[in-house]
Amino acid sequence: MTTSKTIGQASSALPLAEPERLVIASRESRLALWQANHIRDALLALYPQCRVEILGMITRGDQILDRTLSKVGGKGLFVKELETALADGRADLAVNSLKDVPMGMPEGFVLTAIGEREDPRDALVCPGFDGLAALPGGSVVGTSSLRREAMLRTRFPSLQVKPLRGNLDTRLAKLDRGEYTGIVLAAAGLKRLGLGERIRSLIEPEDSLPAPGQGALGIEIAAGRPGLAAWLAPLHHLPTALAVEAERGLARALGGSCQIPLAAYADWITPASGVSAQLRLRAAVGFPDGRRRLDAQGAAELPLDAASASAARALGERLGADLLGRGAAEIVAQLS
């Protein structure tokens, strides 16, 4: 059974005693371990006397590399083993790229903190060419994402789009061996690993809307641990959390499946400081072959407090309903 839960419901009041030991569950890819160490360093800065350890794990999503995620069970394959470690007490928290966290949280787990977002854009890694428009017809471009595939086929129909699985280093190695002319990846992962120089061009949201949660880190814990949630509360970045609440609200309205090429990106079009600000949400859904695409956009003025999570989610649900009413229901039905 799955249920949606508001992101970042942790109390801001710290428990009287600081934690003595915290264990972070993480996938063992280099990027995942960077993310886990990033949270570890933040926790040590808050609680210098705490022992913070990382439990590295290999998930099914890491093991199945010969098929696309949409055909083998979706993004949940990257988090199931981590959630098992949370449930049986081997770990206290799990750190994931939020775009890899399923839209429906399993019963007994909660996203308790969202880290400040890195660059949410897609990036082209492509030696010798300055951008997608510069690629010759017939060039092979790799991506693991149906969303990116739909974007490429819609905007650049002369390119060959082929699946690309594996962790970040594996994907770059396939490019370097000449299996692809270029590959499209999340800019955030490249920048976090110090590989920003490999980015040939950044793809603006106007040309390739990001996935829901792209660039943000989600911290998941077992439900019913208020003390742990309070310890993690200082890591919660409210502007990012409200933005991704809107994105994930829209994704849930459309079924939240990785079988659907779905983009949703919320940004603050007035500064996210002071009493309130305007949150803009843009979304798109279509077929992977690019033959049809629907777009939607909306905005809401939100007070900058945790209580605004429901209003941010409602913005996403409203745009999701608009897309469903204009034909997205047919797209979702055919792809699901």
Side-chain angles (χ1 to χ4, degrees):
M1 177 179 178
T2 61
T3 181
S4 64
K5 297 182 177 66
T6 298
I7 293 171
Q9 295 180 340
S11 167
S12 59
L14 294 177
L16 293 177
E18 292 190 358
E20 296 180 359
R21 177 175 178 262
L22 292 172
V23 179
I24 302 172
S26 170
R27 294 164 58 197
E28 289 191 334
S29 73
R30 189 157 67 105
L31 178 57
L33 289 173
W34 183 97
Q35 294 170 167
N37 276 290
H38 176 70
I39 298 301
R40 175 182 178 273
D41 292 345
L43 288 169
L44 288 174
L46 289 168
Y47 314 114
Q49 304 306 313
C50 182
R51 287 190 299 125
V52 184
E53 303 169 7
I54 295 175
L55 173 64
M57 308 182 73
I58 298 175
T59 68
R60 284 200 68 214
D62 298 308
Q63 295 171 324
I64 302 173
L65 300 178
D66 59 342
R67 285 161 286 169
T68 61
L69 284 177
S70 60
K71 296 179 179 178
V72 295
K75 295 179 179 180
L77 293 178
F78 288 123
V79 299
K80 181 61 178 177
E81 285 84 356
L82 308 186
E83 289 171 342
T84 299
L86 296 178
D88 64 23
R90 285 177 292 145
D92 298 291
L93 59 144
V95 179
N96 274 298
S97 296
L98 193 56
K99 68 181 180 64
D100 292 334
V101 177
M103 298 304 155
M105 295 295 296
E107 194 69 35
F109 300 94
V110 63
L111 282 171
T112 194
I114 304 299
E116 185 173 4
R117 196 172 220 160
E118 236 295 2
D119 191 330
R121 292 174 290 183
D122 289 333
L124 174 67
V125 181
C126 180
F129 297 95
D130 290 333
L132 288 166
L135 292 175
S139 296
V140 177
V141 179
T143 176
S144 62
S145 160
L146 290 180
R147 172 189 61 85
R148 293 184 184 124
E149 179 181 351
M151 178 273 296
L152 288 165
R153 294 190 185 280
T154 299
R155 291 182 53 80
F156 305 99
S158 67
L159 300 178
Q160 294 187 57
V161 183
K162 293 191 175 180
L164 175 66
R165 288 292 316 281
N167 61 39
L168 183 57
D169 290 317
T170 298
R171 297 179 195 187
L172 290 171
K174 290 179 179 180
L175 172 69
D176 293 340
R177 289 197 299 267
E179 297 179 27
Y180 301 87
T181 309
I183 59 178
V184 181
L185 304 168
L190 291 162
K191 292 185 174 184
R192 283 170 172 150
L193 288 181
L195 297 172
E197 76 281 353
R198 297 217 56 173
I199 297 174
R200 195 69 179 188
S201 66
L202 290 165
I203 308 173
E204 295 301 324
E206 290 73 19
D207 295 321
S208 180
L209 271 180
Q214 186 160 311
L217 298 182
I219 301 177
E220 183 179 2
I221 65 172
R225 297 193 62 183
L228 176 59
W231 282 324
L232 297 172
L235 305 183
H236 189 62
H237 188 254
L238 183 59
T240 299
L242 293 175
V244 299
E245 188 73 66
E247 296 163 11
R248 289 170 66 84
L250 183 141
R252 281 192 293 268
L254 270 68
S257 168
C258 69
Q259 296 173 318
I260 303 166
L262 170 67
Y265 175 54
D267 59 346
W268 297 94
I269 56 177
T270 56
S273 59
V275 177
S276 66
Q278 192 172 42
L279 183 66
R280 173 181 61 178
L281 176 62
R282 288 172 282 176
V285 62
F287 288 103
D289 61 11
R291 71 181 184 271
R292 187 182 182 193
R293 167 176 162 149
L294 298 170
D295 293 87
Q297 178 173 314
E301 189 81 18
L302 300 181
L304 288 170
D305 57 44
S308 291
S310 59
R313 186 166 59 253
L315 171 62
E317 292 169 349
R318 186 165 65 250
L319 256 68
D322 174 62
L323 286 168
L324 289 170
R326 290 194 289 117
E330 177 187 350
I331 296 172
V332 170
Q334 289 191 37
L335 295 177
S336 298

